[in-house]
Amino acid sequence: MREAFHEQLDSVFGDLADVCRLVEIAVRDATAALLQGDAEIAERVISSDATIDSAREKIEDKCFSLLSLQQPVAGDLRVVVSALRMISELERMGDLSVHVAKIARLRVPEVAVPEQIRPTMTRMAEVAEDMVARVSRIITDKDVEAAIELGRDDEIMDQLRRRSFTELLSDDWAHGVEAAVDVALLGRYYERIADHAVSVANRIVFVVTGQIPVDA
Amino acid sequence: MREAFHEQLDSVFGDLADVCRLVEIAVRDATAALLQGDAEIAERVISSDATIDSAREKIEDKCFSLLSLQQPVAGDLRVVVSALRMISELERMGDLSVHVAKIARLRVPEVAVPEQIRPTMTRMAEVAEDMVARVSRIITDKDVEAAIELGRDDEIMDQLRRRSFTELLSDDWAHGVEAAVDVALLGRYYERIADHAVSVANRIVFVVTGQIPVDA
C-alpha cells in the first residue's frame, strides 16, 4: 500500500515537472513574440495553453484518485494537497504567458516594448524564464537548496520592476501613455510568473522537509 | 461518522463566509482610501490583511484534520479540496485589496484616480465590492442560482475595463503617464478580485451540484 502510494506520488511529481517545462516554453515564446512583434509565435502561445489546461485536469484526477484509494494521512496527505496547489499555480503561470502574448499580438506589426525600456523588460523576461526553468529541475530533483535560493532571487525581479517604473515615469519617457500602460502590465505579468515560481519552489521545500521556508 | 463530517464541513463553510466578509470590508475600505486619498484607511487595509492570512491558516488546518480523521472519498473529498481552494482565492482577494490600498497611499495627499476617469473606476470598484458581498451570501446560503448569475455579471467588469482603456488612450487624456499606469494597474486588481469572486461562486456550484458551471 505504502509502496503503491509513493510510486503514484512520484508519477504525479513527474507530471508536474512536465507541465513546468510546458510553462517554460510558453514564457520563452511569449517573450519572443513580445520582443520581435511576432503574431505567429503569439498565436502559438495562446493556442498551446489548452495543453497545459488539460494536463492540469489529468494531474488533478490522479491526485483525487490517490487521495480516495490510498487515504493518506498527516504528512502524506499534505504532500498530495501541495501537488494540487502546484498544478493550479503552474496553470496560472501559463495564463500569464498568454496575457503577455496577447499584448504582443495587439501591437503587431509594431513592438509593444519601446527601445528605451527594452533592456529592463528583456531582463525581467529572462529572469522569469530562468526561474521557471529552475523550478522544473527543482521539482524533478526535489532540490531543497535550489528552491531556497530561488526564493532569494525573487528580489532581483522586484528591483527590475521598480527600475521599469522609474524609466516609465522619468521626464525622458517619449513613448506616451499606451506604451507605458503596456509596459506596466507586462511587468506585472512577469512579476506574477516569478511569484508563482517561488511559491511552487517553496512547496517542494515543504514536500521534502515538512517545513515552509521562512519569508514564504 | 458521516454526521460528524458534515457538521465539521458546515463549520468550514461558515468560516469561509466569515473570511469573505472580511474581504468585502477590505475591498470597500481600499476603494474609500483610493477615491478619498485617505492614508489612514489605506493603512488599515494593509494591516488588517494579517487577520485574513491567519484565518486562512486556521481553515486550512481544519480541512486537513477533516481529511485525516474522516477520510472522505469521492464527492466529499472533492468538497473539502474545494474549500481549500476557496480559502486560497479569498486570501488572494485580500492581497489585491492591499495592492489597491498601496497605490492610494503612494499618491497621498493627491488622489490616484483623476476626475476624468473617476466614474469608470468607481463603477469597477462598486461592481467588485458587490460581487464579493454576493459571494459571502452565496457561501452561506449555498445558493447555486445566485452563483451562476454572478458568473454572468463578470462581463460587466470586462466592459468597464475596456472602457477604462479607451478613456486612458484617448486624445483627451490630460493626466500623463503616472496616472495612466496607476489606473491600468488598479483596473487589473479590481478585475482579478472579480475573477476570483466568480471562481469561488463556481466552487459553490460544484459543492452543491457536483458539476462545474459551463464557461467556468
Side-chain angles (χ1 to χ4, degrees):
Chain A
M1 188 74 159
R2 290 294 77 188
E3 203 176 317
F5 173 77
H6 286 288
E7 262 174 32
Q8 287 173 41
L9 196 61
D10 282 348
S11 150
V12 166
F13 278 89
D15 294 344
L16 287 171
D18 289 344
V19 173
C20 197
R21 278 184 285 271
L22 294 178
V23 172
E24 194 184 325
I25 294 167
V27 174
R28 188 169 60 224
D29 284 352
T31 301
L34 180 69
L35 296 177
Q36 296 160 33
D38 189 320
E40 208 175 307
I41 304 179
E43 290 298 342
R44 199 199 309 157
V45 176
I46 295 162
S47 61
S48 301
D49 193 47
T51 315
I52 295 176
D53 293 349
S54 78
R56 174 207 166 127
E57 278 174 39
K58 276 190 206 132
I59 295 177
E60 284 185 352
D61 287 345
K62 242 190 205 178
C63 289
F64 280 115
S65 95
L66 200 53
L67 288 171
S68 279
L69 298 175
Q70 306 285 349
Q71 300 277 327
V73 292
D76 285 348
L77 173 63
R78 283 178 187 261
V79 168
V80 181
V81 173
S82 292
L84 280 168
R85 286 174 167 168
M86 288 164 74
I87 188 59
S88 294
E89 305 213 64
L90 290 168
E91 190 205 17
R92 189 77 207 122
M93 290 156 84
D95 292 343
L96 290 159
S97 308
V98 168
H99 288 325
V100 171
K102 282 187 175 170
I103 291 186
R105 185 178 64 176
L106 197 63
R107 300 298 168 226
V108 169
E110 306 296 318
V111 172
V113 181
E115 275 302 323
Q116 189 182 350
I117 205 161
R118 201 180 165 94
T120 305
M121 280 301 303
T122 304
R123 193 73 199 103
M124 287 184 94
E126 283 169 355
V127 170
E129 193 188 315
D130 174 60
M131 288 174 84
V132 179
R134 283 156 67 190
V135 170
S136 308
R137 293 193 298 273
I138 287 167
I139 298 172
T140 305
D141 304 339
K142 303 257 174 77
D143 187 337
V144 170
E145 271 183 47
I148 292 170
E149 205 181 300
L150 191 82
R152 287 197 208 104
D153 288 359
D154 196 34
E155 175 57 22
I156 299 170
M157 184 58 98
D158 294 343
Q159 283 167 9
L160 287 165
R161 186 111 199 276
R162 282 194 293 273
R163 192 201 296 172
S164 75
F165 280 119
T166 309
E167 289 172 344
L168 282 183
L169 302 177
S170 83
D171 293 336
D172 295 344
W173 182 255
H175 306 282
V177 167
E178 185 177 85
V181 165
D182 281 349
V183 167
L185 291 174
L186 288 163
R188 174 78 186 154
Y189 301 146
Y190 282 118
E191 183 192 38
R192 289 297 299 154
I193 290 172
D195 288 344
H196 285 295
V198 170
S199 175
V200 172
N202 283 340
R203 293 192 200 284
I204 287 291
V205 176
F206 174 76
V207 163
V208 177
T209 68
Q211 305 287 323
I212 296 164
V214 186
D215 308 324
Chain B
M1 189 73 161
R2 289 296 77 186
E3 202 177 318
F5 173 77
H6 285 288
E7 263 173 32
Q8 287 173 41
L9 197 60
D10 281 347
S11 149
V12 166
F13 278 89
D15 294 344
L16 288 171
D18 289 344
V19 174
C20 197
R21 278 183 285 270
L22 294 178
V23 172
E24 194 183 326
I25 294 166
V27 174
R28 188 171 58 222
D29 283 352
T31 301
L34 180 69
L35 296 177
Q36 297 161 32
D38 188 320
E40 207 176 306
I41 304 179
E43 290 299 344
R44 199 200 308 159
V45 176
I46 295 162
S47 61
S48 301
D49 194 48
T51 315
I52 295 176
D53 293 349
S54 78
R56 174 207 166 127
E57 277 175 40
K58 276 189 206 134
I59 295 177
E60 284 184 353
D61 287 345
K62 242 189 205 179
C63 289
F64 279 116
S65 94
L66 200 53
L67 288 170
S68 279
L69 298 175
Q70 305 285 349
Q71 299 277 326
V73 294
D76 285 348
L77 173 63
R78 284 179 186 259
V79 167
V80 181
V81 174
S82 293
L84 280 168
R85 287 174 168 169
M86 287 164 73
I87 188 58
S88 295
E89 304 211 64
L90 290 169
E91 190 204 18
R92 190 75 207 124
M93 291 155 83
D95 292 343
L96 289 159
S97 308
V98 168
H99 288 325
V100 171
K102 283 187 176 170
I103 291 186
R105 185 178 63 176
L106 197 63
R107 301 298 168 225
V108 169
E110 306 296 317
V111 172
V113 181
E115 275 301 323
Q116 189 182 352
I117 205 161
R118 200 179 165 96
T120 305
M121 281 301 303
T122 304
R123 194 72 199 103
M124 288 185 92
E126 284 169 355
V127 170
E129 194 188 316
D130 174 60
M131 288 174 84
V132 179
R134 283 156 67 189
V135 170
S136 308
R137 292 193 298 272
I138 287 167
I139 298 172
T140 305
D141 304 339
K142 302 260 173 74
D143 187 338
V144 170
E145 271 183 48
I148 292 170
E149 205 181 299
L150 191 83
R152 288 198 207 103
D153 289 358
D154 196 33
E155 175 57 25
I156 299 170
M157 184 59 99
D158 294 343
Q159 283 168 9
L160 287 166
R161 185 112 198 275
R162 282 194 294 274
R163 193 201 295 170
S164 75
F165 280 118
T166 308
E167 289 171 344
L168 282 183
L169 303 176
S170 83
D171 294 336
D172 295 343
W173 182 254
H175 307 282
V177 166
E178 184 177 86
V181 165
D182 281 349
V183 167
L185 291 173
L186 289 163
R188 174 80 186 152
Y189 301 146
Y190 283 118
E191 183 192 38
R192 290 297 299 155
I193 290 170
D195 288 344
H196 285 295
V198 170
S199 175
V200 172
N202 284 340
R203 292 192 201 283
I204 287 291
V205 177
F206 174 76
V207 163
V208 178
T209 68
Q211 305 287 323
I212 297 164
V214 187
D215 308 326

